[in-house]
């Protein structure tokens, strides 16, 4: 159940994040989650949006370097240890998490976490067997 994530190479200068998010907004694209990792000169902006193909096209048309990646989304209880239990399942199976970021859900007491792993199929099988809820793209916007 992969989720499509948009990654954008962003120059680290004033206004770039505002420019990119304005462009996405003008195209009627809803951003549900984001993460930004930066260095001195550039950053990688990762977005979960309601229409990844439209977002990718719009961003590329504006001259940005963009890629689409399949990531996994998991639903966890919004309580101490909720994330830890899910990640422990992956660690015990020898699956490394390259990065993760979380966001709130409309459901009280729950959170969603986006994770990037080397092999989505292996991680999906391990998480499913452990009873960890995997979410789909459309659930994020329900």
């Amino acid at each position: 159940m992969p989720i499509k994530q948009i990654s954008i190479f962003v120059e680290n200068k004033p206004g770039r994040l505002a420019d990119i998010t304005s462009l996405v907004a003008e195209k009627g694209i809803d951003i549900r989650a984001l993460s930004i990792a930066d260095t001195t000169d550039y950053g990688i902006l990762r977005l979960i949006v309601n229409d990844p193909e439209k977002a990718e096209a719009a961003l590329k048309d504006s001259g940005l370097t963009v890629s689409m990646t399949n990531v996994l989304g998991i639903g966890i209880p919004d309580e101490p240890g909720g994330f830890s239990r899910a990640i422990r399942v992956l660690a015990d199976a020898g699956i490394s998490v390259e990065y993760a970021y979380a966001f709130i859900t409309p459901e009280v007491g729950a959170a969603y976490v986006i994770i990037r792993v080397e092999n989505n199929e292996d991680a999906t099988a391990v998480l499913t067997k452990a009873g960890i809820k995997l979410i789909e793209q459309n659930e994020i916007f329900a």
Side-chain angles (χ1 to χ4, degrees):
M1 293 186 231
I3 292 171
K4 293 178 181 180
Q5 171 190 266
I6 302 295
S7 298
I8 307 120
F9 180 83
V10 182
E11 293 174 273
N12 195 358
K13 64 181 189 179
R16 286 307 287 151
L17 186 58
D19 293 342
I20 292 167
T21 55
S22 294
L23 172 68
V24 170
E26 289 166 9
K27 298 295 183 182
I29 298 164
D30 186 15
I31 299 171
R32 182 54 50 116
L34 67 84
S35 170
I36 191 161
D38 70 333
T39 66
T40 304
D41 299 321
Y42 69 91
I44 302 295
L45 174 62
R46 296 182 173 106
L47 302 175
I48 303 297
V49 299
N50 64 322
D51 192 337
E53 290 80 9
K54 183 177 179 182
E56 179 184 38
L59 292 163
K60 281 183 176 180
D61 287 349
S62 73
L64 292 165
T65 302
V66 180
S67 65
M68 194 176 315
T69 308
N70 286 328
V71 293
L72 294 178
I74 58 174
I76 60 169
D78 185 14
E79 63 187 25
F83 180 62
S84 176
R85 285 189 294 276
I87 295 305
R88 172 58 51 203
V89 167
L90 294 172
D92 289 349
I95 298 172
S96 292
V97 175
E98 295 175 20
Y99 57 81
Y101 53 99
F103 57 104
I104 61 169
T105 69
E107 179 185 343
V108 175
Y112 289 157
V113 179
I114 299 298
I115 57 173
R116 170 76 171 139
V117 295
E118 185 175 323
N119 187 305
N120 285 336
E121 292 79 21
D122 290 349
T124 296
V126 167
L127 291 165
T128 300
K129 184 177 179 184
I132 306 295
K133 179 185 180 197
L134 287 140
I135 57 172
E136 296 188 32
Q137 192 109 23
N138 63 350
E139 290 180 76
I140 295 170
F141 294 91

